[in-house]
Amino acid sequence: MKKLEFVLENIDPLLFAERGADNILVTTKRYIPGSAIRGALAHLYINAHKLQNAYEDATFFDLFLSGKVRFLPAYPISCRELEQGDAFVMPLSLMRSKDKTQTVDLTAAAENKAGFKKLQGFAVKKDGKLYPIDTDVKIELHMSRSGAGERITGSSRDGNVFNYEYLEPGQLFKGAYLADDDAAELLQKVLLEMDVEALHLGRSKSAQYGKCLYAAMPVKEAQQVALGDKLYLLAQTPYIAFGSWQRVEQAADELLGELEARLGCEAAKDGLQIFAAAESIDGYVGVWQAKKQAERALSAGTLIELRLNGAVDSSKLQAALQQGLGKGTEDGFGQFVIWQPLAKPEFVEKLPQKQQKNVVLSNEVKKTAKKVIRERLLQEVRQQAAQDAQSEDLKIYAANAHNILKRVEGLMYSGKTKSDIQMIISMDFKATAKKNLTAIKYKGDALYDILIEGPGHELPYKGVDWTRKVKLPKGSLKELQKLIGSNAFELDADEVYREYWLWFMRHAVKLSKKEGEQ
């Protein structure tokens, strides 16, 4: 038995719809199901070999239909530094005190403790340490445009809207294939030939969702675990029993019966300690364009005590478990591992420090980034000009203020330099125009003197740090300057002058109209 691991990084939002009664909100699983990975790889193989009836192809059958390869789900690992760890769902026996100071494993505890609540989510085990992992999700509003006419108009006539909850881009997930020795070599060969770089997974993968970068990891033998005095079966993935069941004990009986047949020895079924949760498993088959039938399953994280009558070595037990138990093993369901009680479970709350990568941007990206930054800074200039023009500091005493303000506004459209504009105002404006500009006061100073920066007069925005007004996250300015260029946040003095006075005059004109009406 070989284990082939891989890491997926979603560069698009990612959505695996959960079953629910809400028609407006579509919620997502917090991990990537094995069935989705199996389907995506099967789709790539069919397209690469242009197969009409894929089931007739011997290689396709061995990899995707025979059950020789089991496609396990990919669980979140948070960062690259945890790639070598084992990702899994939190066992349902783990409890934490409400003040987060103590963690207890109920498989090892003598009794349940008050003031503790169940740990949920995912974990990564690396170098004997346990790291709790969270996934980042968001919700986005969409409008239904199913009809041809609605798609052309870009709107919904019936006003149908719905929300997608999705996994945010930029997260890492670690998955694996468990394969028989001959199938493992075949799978490696096929993956190499197809040169898989990305998989498109989940809902709306033909639109803005679902693209994940794929990276294979070195092949390794499945690890052997020494058996202790007290053993539990930990469900790494949901377990779907062949028969129907109402109580957890009934599902556990069937599971243990299947394991007995493989090991050739009896397993106790009475008085077992079980920590379990149930869920509904369904799916969607793209080839058939149809939903799978929903089935009840024991959830990942379920623990079932294992008491075997007779000696069984670790390798034989783990080989039996790796084949998968119950239904849907080819999709990764029914995968169990040995869990031994933790006397003092300890979690490392602080994740390993992420290594900073040297990011190199293309010239085109730098140009675009500079344009975006420039526009953002100019927005601050416009906002400052509007605030100054609408403040009580501006007083208009000129009878023909509207005309002279519009004339100065027109000058700012010319694209001339600040010195050229100031020269025109001081040399080309007639005495009447200068008199009207002088009769407009800002903070008690004549607007004429401010515009030409006469002796003792300064521009209203002198000393303003436009970058600081943008309020960038702490420390990000230097990083951005390093990536895009040291001059990325610098505005040309002529451009600031024209932009400021253009918007100042626009708002001053409105004020002059009001005063004229009064």
Side-chain angles (χ1 to χ4, degrees):
M1 184 75 66
K2 294 285 194 303
K3 189 175 185 180
L4 286 72
E5 297 178 326
F6 58 88
V7 173
L8 291 169
E9 179 181 3
N10 65 315
I11 60 174
D12 286 346
L14 199 53
L15 169 61
F16 299 99
E18 293 269 39
R19 173 176 285 269
D22 194 340
N23 293 324
I24 296 175
L25 176 62
V26 179
T27 58
T28 182
K29 299 181 188 297
R30 266 50 174 181
Y31 63 93
I32 301 175
S35 56
I37 298 165
R38 176 179 174 234
L41 289 173
H43 179 73
L44 286 177
Y45 185 88
I46 290 170
N47 287 346
H49 295 83
K50 299 181 173 58
L51 301 179
Q52 292 298 322
N53 299 317
Y55 57 87
E56 296 177 352
D57 183 89
T59 300
F60 183 89
F61 182 85
D62 281 346
L63 295 183
F64 301 107
L65 301 177
S66 67
K68 292 180 180 179
V69 180
R70 289 160 284 285
F71 296 82
L72 275 59
Y75 290 134
I77 59 171
S78 181
C79 59
R80 295 282 179 189
E81 287 67 30
L82 294 178
E83 277 184 1
Q84 300 301 323
D86 295 319
F88 57 95
V89 177
M90 290 271 195
L92 294 174
S93 63
L94 293 179
M95 307 282 285
R96 174 170 285 181
S97 59
K98 291 181 180 178
D99 60 4
K100 297 184 178 181
T101 58
Q102 297 181 63
T103 305
V104 63
D105 183 359
L106 294 181
T107 60
E111 58 182 15
N112 200 345
K113 294 185 178 181
F116 282 69
K117 61 180 182 179
K118 192 178 298 181
L119 277 173
Q120 294 181 324
F122 305 93
V124 172
K125 186 176 183 180
K126 183 185 178 186
D127 300 330
K129 299 177 182 177
L130 292 171
Y131 298 85
I133 305 296
D134 290 323
T135 48
D136 298 323
V137 296
K138 275 191 177 180
I139 295 176
E140 186 166 329
L141 174 70
H142 291 272
M143 184 175 290
S144 175
R145 295 188 292 275
S146 55
E150 290 181 338
R151 289 186 180 278
I152 293 171
T153 58
S155 61
S156 174
R157 293 173 186 172
D158 298 328
N160 295 326
V161 296
F162 57 93
N163 293 291
Y164 272 177
E165 180 188 57
Y166 61 84
L167 297 165
E168 283 197 74
Q171 301 187 72
L172 298 174
F173 300 84
K174 184 177 179 181
Y177 319 107
L178 276 175
D180 299 346
D181 291 344
D182 57 337
E185 291 182 13
L186 182 59
L187 180 60
Q188 280 184 284
K189 179 185 175 184
V190 168
L191 291 174
L192 193 62
E193 288 174 353
M194 292 196 299
D195 191 21
V196 180
E197 294 181 352
L199 296 178
H200 294 265
L201 305 168
R203 183 174 283 202
S204 297
K205 54 182 172 285
S206 59
Q208 70 190 71
Y209 292 83
K211 186 174 182 180
C212 298
L213 299 180
Y214 176 94
M217 299 180 70
V219 182
K220 64 180 183 182
E221 298 287 342
Q223 294 179 347
Q224 302 298 317
V225 178
L227 302 182
D229 296 332
K230 197 173 184 181
L231 302 178
Y232 287 81
L233 298 177
L234 169 62
Q236 282 193 304
T237 61
Y239 166 73
I240 307 171
F242 288 101
S244 60
W245 54 277
Q246 298 300 320
R247 295 181 298 109
V248 169
E249 288 79 6
Q250 292 174 308
D253 283 352
E254 182 180 317
L255 185 153
L256 293 171
E258 189 177 353
L259 190 59
E260 281 178 338
R262 292 185 187 175
L263 295 175
C265 65
E266 291 185 359
K269 296 178 183 176
D270 296 326
L272 300 178
Q273 198 173 25
I274 299 175
F275 303 89
E279 63 180 280
S280 180
I281 299 293
D282 58 7
Y284 185 82
V285 183
V287 177
W288 297 340
Q289 300 292 300
K291 286 186 176 181
K292 291 181 180 178
Q293 179 182 354
E295 298 190 85
R296 199 156 178 250
L298 294 179
S299 301
T302 291
L303 284 160
I304 300 172
E305 188 178 0
L306 180 63
R307 283 189 253 146
L308 297 172
N309 297 325
V312 176
D313 64 21
S314 172
S315 59
K316 187 175 180 180
L317 174 58
Q318 290 182 83
L321 294 176
Q322 286 162 3
Q323 293 175 32
L325 299 164
K327 295 167 68 174
T329 54
E330 66 279 359
D331 282 331
F333 293 112
Q335 283 295 320
F336 287 82
V337 294
I338 300 299
W339 176 265
Q340 300 183 101
L342 300 176
K344 291 184 178 180
E346 294 183 8
F347 284 90
V348 181
E349 298 296 337
K350 190 175 181 180
L351 294 176
Q353 188 67 34
K354 295 183 179 180
Q355 295 177 359
Q356 297 294 325
K357 294 182 179 179
N358 293 324
V359 181
V360 180
L361 303 180
S362 67
N363 290 332
E364 195 60 37
V365 171
K366 288 181 181 179
K367 273 186 195 176
T368 304
K370 285 181 179 179
K371 285 180 183 178
V372 172
I373 293 168
R374 171 183 165 275
E375 183 58 31
R376 182 66 185 86
L377 294 174
L378 287 177
Q379 283 179 9
E380 292 297 330
V381 175
R382 294 165 194 149
Q383 188 175 347
Q384 184 68 48
Q387 288 175 357
D388 292 346
Q390 292 170 356
S391 70
E392 295 181 355
D393 293 326
L394 180 64
K395 304 292 183 184
I396 299 176
Y397 303 111
N400 297 317
H402 176 268
N403 293 336
I404 189 59
L405 290 171
K406 291 294 289 182
R407 185 176 175 187
V408 176
E409 180 186 335
L411 264 179
M412 302 305 160
Y413 281 112
S414 65
K416 297 180 183 295
T417 64
K418 180 177 76 167
S419 58
D420 287 343
I421 293 173
Q422 290 175 335
M423 183 70 71
I424 292 170
I425 294 172
S426 61
M427 302 295 291
D428 295 350
F429 275 26
K430 293 183 180 179
T432 305
K434 293 179 181 178
K435 180 181 177 182
N436 286 333
L437 273 178
T438 303
I440 301 171
K441 308 289 185 182
Y442 179 73
K443 291 188 176 180
D445 292 334
L447 194 58
Y448 172 80
D449 292 327
I450 298 173
L451 280 166
I452 66 170
E453 291 185 275
H457 296 86
E458 295 179 343
L459 295 171
Y461 57 80
K462 186 176 181 180
V464 174
D465 186 344
W466 304 113
T467 305
R468 183 167 292 181
K469 288 178 76 69
V470 173
K471 295 180 181 177
L472 293 166
K474 189 175 181 181
S476 62
L477 177 60
K478 288 184 179 178
E479 290 298 322
L480 286 170
Q481 287 175 328
K482 193 184 298 181
L483 285 172
I484 304 166
S486 57
N487 62 343
F489 288 85
E490 294 176 6
L491 285 175
D492 180 71
D494 293 333
E495 187 174 33
V496 174
Y497 181 86
R498 289 192 303 267
E499 201 72 17
Y500 178 88
W501 288 115
L502 172 65
W503 287 83
F504 185 98
M505 296 304 161
R506 281 182 176 177
H507 289 275
V509 165
K510 293 177 183 178
L511 180 62
S512 69
K513 283 183 179 179
K514 289 181 183 178
E515 295 194 356
E517 289 169 0
Q518 291 173 359

